[in-house]
């Protein structure tokens, strides 16, 4: 746990990456696993993640993110795309997965299905989309923590044109839309922010122990 806290202190939102350094495949797979294992409401994971290392695609994404250099200098770009809406078929597929993995009968999950149908499908389409994007942010947090533990630099980013990202990734007109992104790689020695002291609220300002 001590090393984990140290690694979180080491982490910062890297603004300048070393374009000559790339993540190895093993570490990329670990980062992907950290996203896959992330918590999500009901375990529904209402999002998909695009992991981009292709130079040409990153150049296009950079143009749609106001030419921020992280998009091309970082080794990989993780794009979290939330579902716009969920339907009964999505819930049924989730229940089938539970049935297979936990070796239970689908009919024994009828109570769970009723709850999910009421709580999720009872939301408006806009509410579902907002909820899905919030779930994507939880997965983003898991990615950032896992990367720090691997001493991999990241930069979470909201400064981009979601509509253009959707077009570049070929998801325009689908049930997905870009929610948030993160770049991952290794910091440049020229990034002065790495030497700045971390600024956070003091514990007494942040926590209310009741």
């Amino acid at each position: 746990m001590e090393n984990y806290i140290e690694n979180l202190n080491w982490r910062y939102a890297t603004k300048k990456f070393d374009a000559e350094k790339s993540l190895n495949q093993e570490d990329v797979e670990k980062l992907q696993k950290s996203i896959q294992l992330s918590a999500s409401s009901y375990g529904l994971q209402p999002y998909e993640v695009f992991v981009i290392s292709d130079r040409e695609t990153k150049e296009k994404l950079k143009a749609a993110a106001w030419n921020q250099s992280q998009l091309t200098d970082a080794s990989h770009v993780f794009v979290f795309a939330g579902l716009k809406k969920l339907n009964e078929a999505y819930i049924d597929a989730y229940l089938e997965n539970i049935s297979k993995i936990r070796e239970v009968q689908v009919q024994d999950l009828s109570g769970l299905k009723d709850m999910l149908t009421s709580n999720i499908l009872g939301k408006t389409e806009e509410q579902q989309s907002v909820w899905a994007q919030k779930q994507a942010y939880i997965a983003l947090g898991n990615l950032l923590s896992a990367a720090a533990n691997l001493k991999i630099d990241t930069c979470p980013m909201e400064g981009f044109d979601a509509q253009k990202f959707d077009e570049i990734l070929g998801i325009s007109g689908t049930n997905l839309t870009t929610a948030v992104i993160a770049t991952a790689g290794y910091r440049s020695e020229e990034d002065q922010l790495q030497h700045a002291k971390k600024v956070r609220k003091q514990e007494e300002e942040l926590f209310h122990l009741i």
Side-chain angles (χ1 to χ4, degrees):
M1 184 63 180
E2 184 177 344
N3 287 340
Y4 177 67
I5 297 300
E6 288 177 359
N7 290 336
L8 291 183
N9 272 311
W10 170 86
R11 191 207 73 80
Y12 73 106
T14 304
K15 301 301 182 184
K16 187 172 180 58
F17 287 85
D18 187 336
E20 300 302 316
K21 294 182 179 180
S22 298
L23 302 180
N24 63 53
Q25 186 58 32
E26 180 181 357
D27 282 343
V28 172
E29 290 173 1
K30 288 178 180 178
L31 294 179
Q32 291 176 183
K33 181 61 71 173
S34 76
I35 295 170
Q36 182 193 13
L37 294 175
S38 178
S40 69
S41 186
Y42 307 110
L44 281 169
Q45 297 176 289
Y47 48 79
E48 295 180 20
V49 185
F50 294 82
V51 184
I52 301 138
S53 59
D54 176 68
R55 179 72 187 184
E56 183 178 348
T57 303
K58 291 197 295 181
E59 287 285 359
K60 293 177 181 178
L61 294 176
K62 178 182 177 181
W66 300 300
N67 290 314
Q68 296 178 82
S69 64
Q70 297 98 309
L71 274 295
T72 48
D73 290 347
S75 173
H76 287 66
V77 181
F78 289 78
V79 179
F80 294 78
L83 296 179
K84 295 176 183 176
K85 61 180 179 180
L86 283 77
N87 55 28
E88 188 172 358
Y90 189 90
I91 290 176
D92 285 343
Y94 173 60
L95 297 175
E96 288 283 353
N97 202 29
I98 293 177
S99 172
K100 177 181 178 182
I101 293 174
R102 295 182 176 171
E103 299 181 343
V104 298
Q105 298 297 312
V106 173
Q107 54 264 33
D108 293 335
L109 301 172
S110 59
L112 176 59
K113 179 175 181 177
D114 290 343
M115 182 187 68
L116 294 175
T117 300
S118 174
N119 292 350
I120 303 300
L121 302 189
K123 298 178 186 293
T124 66
E125 190 171 315
E126 181 180 2
Q127 288 172 332
Q128 287 186 25
S129 180
V130 170
W131 171 78
Q133 294 205 13
K134 287 181 179 179
Q135 302 308 306
Y137 272 77
I138 296 174
L140 167 69
N142 231 41
L143 168 66
L144 300 182
S145 294
N149 222 32
L150 293 168
K151 288 298 180 77
I152 292 171
D153 291 294
T154 54
C155 185
M157 303 171 70
E158 293 182 310
F160 57 87
D161 186 321
Q163 184 176 348
K164 289 181 180 178
F165 264 58
D166 291 353
E167 292 172 0
I168 294 166
L169 297 174
I171 58 174
S172 294
T174 73
N175 195 34
L176 290 169
T177 187
T178 303
V180 65
I181 70 174
T183 52
Y186 297 102
R187 64 188 66 176
S188 167
E189 293 182 2
E190 298 176 4
D191 191 348
Q192 295 303 310
L193 277 177
Q194 66 187 292
H195 304 299
K197 291 183 178 180
K198 189 178 290 293
V199 178
R200 294 292 188 272
K201 285 184 176 181
Q202 296 299 309
E203 291 187 14
E204 59 271 20
E205 298 176 300
L206 183 61
F207 299 108
H208 299 270
L209 306 182
I210 299 173

